[in-house]
Amino acid sequence: MLDMHAHFCCVEKEQSMTEELQLRKEAGLRTFFSCGTPEEWEATKKFHSRREVLFSFGIHPWYADRYDAEAYVELFRACDAVGEIGMDSVWCDVPHPVQRRQLEAQLDIAARLGKPIVLHTKGQEREIAQMIRDFPNPVCVHWYSGDRQTLELFLEKDCYFTLGPDFARLCQCAQAQTQLCRYMAREIRAERLFLETDGISAVAWALGSEYTGLERISEVLWENAGYLAGIRNIKEEELCRRMEQNLREFLMLPKEKQGGSGCFRESRKRI
Ligand SMILES: [Zn+2]
């Protein structure tokens, strides 16, 4: 099972990161961790060689006023994907022009380095869809929650999408988001779909609980996989295989031969 987008529960404590990695490994998860600051990248560095994890790096829109992306080109070069980058007008007060400049700079770096990107689009979906129109590498829109019309713009661009930890829950309750969720689960082509947790604190938030144990990570992924497989009328195992293949394509790696190692380390070596 793949968790396409996650943050460590606690990057301040190495012990906690080691425990989380162990739990994820025992649960048979491959995890794509997102580092939103250079400090986070530094803190996770010692784990970068592990085969069951991948790491993206990008200045998160919440911290867009604290860093100059061009100063970190070496980190961008070393990561598996650039992200999460984007803009956010709902959960942060960083001035819009600052966020936009930071996003433009990082799109430019990712294009230059030939890296795929992971997007955070909260409240800024339409503007971001326009900004990435000519971006040349694969784009993954993480936990999309904009409107349907704007979703079409990302679909036209043939973006990848992750369904968030609240996917199964939203499918079951009568909210406006329910329709969008079901629409996405049905309409996004299989080659472009992923599941994600966004890390344990997002899982707790999505499920409306204050504390959620790390074991919930794999439970939530399998619950969501069950729902998605049901909607698409396929087996969960097939969905997992598809997501692994999607990951290879997102990372622009060659198709894996039968009985391959399942290792994604090549993505960083390649560049
Ligand atoms: Zn995230």
Side-chain angles (χ1 to χ4, degrees):
M1 172 61 82
L2 168 68
D3 186 352
M4 183 58 185
H5 181 93
H7 301 267
F8 275 104
C9 171
C10 178
V11 279
E12 285 81 34
K13 293 187 193 128
E14 190 178 333
Q15 172 75 6
S16 150
M17 286 197 282
T18 309
E19 278 168 23
E20 175 164 357
L21 283 169
Q22 188 57 28
L23 247 142
R24 283 177 175 271
K25 193 175 176 183
E26 281 165 14
L29 298 182
R30 186 190 301 287
T31 308
F32 209 141
F33 283 106
S34 178
C35 302
T37 64
E39 289 77 16
E40 222 174 304
W41 176 264
E42 268 315 301
T44 59
K45 229 170 161 180
K46 54 186 93 55
F47 305 117
H48 289 187
S49 58
R50 296 197 181 201
R51 54 178 293 157
E52 74 279 13
V53 288
L54 292 133
F55 288 88
S56 68
F57 169 74
I59 308 299
H60 194 289
W62 297 353
Y63 315 116
D65 54 351
R66 298 192 202 166
Y67 305 92
D68 169 17
E70 286 292 347
Y72 301 99
V73 172
E74 285 319 305
L75 307 197
F76 286 107
R77 201 187 300 279
C79 66
D80 295 295
V82 170
E84 56 187 294
I85 57 171
M87 298 194 289
D88 186 330
S89 55
V90 179
W91 291 321
C92 83
D93 313 316
V94 177
H96 177 267
V98 176
Q99 292 195 44
R100 190 177 161 109
R101 259 200 314 278
Q102 190 73 265
L103 175 57
E104 278 168 350
Q106 295 187 93
L107 287 175
D108 190 53
I109 293 169
R112 244 160 46 208
L113 295 175
K115 298 274 183 175
I117 55 170
V118 180
L119 286 178
H120 175 114
T121 59
K122 195 73 189 173
Q124 296 290 295
E125 293 84 3
R126 185 157 286 269
E127 193 173 332
I128 293 175
Q130 278 152 6
M131 289 173 75
I132 58 152
R133 260 207 323 242
D134 299 320
F135 183 74
N137 306 325
V139 175
C140 180
V141 183
H142 125 77
W143 201 350
Y144 180 84
S145 62
D147 59 44
R148 232 187 50 212
Q149 264 183 332
T150 311
L151 176 70
E152 300 299 336
L153 299 178
F154 289 108
L155 286 169
E156 275 165 31
K157 172 77 181 158
D158 205 19
C159 292
Y160 292 79
F161 293 85
T162 62
L163 299 174
D166 55 356
F167 170 64
R169 205 174 78 132
L170 282 178
C171 281
Q172 294 169 73
C173 62
Q175 286 181 15
Q177 280 294 92
T178 305
Q179 280 197 353
L180 176 77
C181 255
R182 288 187 164 274
Y183 182 79
M184 288 176 73
R186 269 196 325 264
E187 298 301 320
I188 296 170
R189 59 193 190 98
E191 290 79 7
R192 293 292 176 266
L193 262 178
F194 289 115
L195 292 170
E196 65 149 291
T197 62
D198 207 10
I200 195 64
S201 44
V203 168
W205 178 85
L207 303 180
S209 59
E210 209 159 277
Y211 175 74
T212 306
L214 281 170
E215 67 285 352
R216 284 296 283 146
I217 286 176
S218 113
E219 287 170 14
V220 161
L221 284 167
W222 280 107
E223 213 173 292
N224 288 342
Y227 257 84
L228 183 56
I231 290 172
R232 299 185 76 102
N233 204 18
I234 55 166
K235 290 203 169 71
E236 289 168 23
E237 294 71 30
E238 198 183 322
L239 184 69
C240 287
R241 270 198 304 276
R242 186 64 256 175
M243 289 196 291
E244 285 273 304
Q245 187 55 41
N246 294 353
L247 178 58
R248 291 196 80 80
E249 287 171 19
F250 173 70
L251 295 170
M252 297 178 280
L253 295 172
K255 268 206 169 76
E256 197 177 32
K257 294 174 201 86
Q258 281 281 315
S261 67
C263 185
F264 287 81
R265 219 27 354 104
E266 314 145 54
S267 73
R268 260 173 269 155
K269 267 193 289 174
R270 197 174 51 91
I271 295 160

